Amino acid sequence: MTTVQFKTSGMHCGSCAKLIEMSVGDVAGVESVRSNHVEGLTTVTYDQAVTDTDAIAAAIRAAGYGAEVIS
């Protein structure tokens, strides 16, 4: 398992964070996801054999938010 953080822009409230968590949680290979609208960060633990950061970022963007890998 690998853990990565995304700077996630456009979140305004807890509902935004929950929407991102639901969207990213639906990506195959994602083990866990936590999004924090105050910090503007989304932390994702995933299986590298199943998915990658591009697919995770795409799920965040599809939910209507910006996503950039920071660590």
Side-chain angles (χ1 to χ4, degrees):
M1 290 293 174
T2 301
T3 300
V4 66
Q5 278 195 320
F6 293 85
K7 178 158 181 56
T8 312
S9 58
M11 290 190 288
H12 304 289
C13 62
S15 293
C16 294
K18 284 292 181 197
L19 179 59
I20 290 169
E21 289 173 355
M22 289 188 308
S23 296
V24 174
D26 287 343
V27 175
V30 170
E31 176 75 19
S32 68
V33 55
R34 278 182 100 195
S35 194
N36 184 312
H37 74 282
V38 175
E39 296 175 347
L41 296 175
T42 300
T43 304
V44 183
T45 300
Y46 67 98
D47 183 343
Q48 284 182 290
V50 179
T51 194
D52 59 21
T53 57
D54 290 339
I56 296 166
I60 295 170
R61 291 185 188 110
Y65 303 93
E68 177 185 340
V69 175
I70 58 172
S71 67

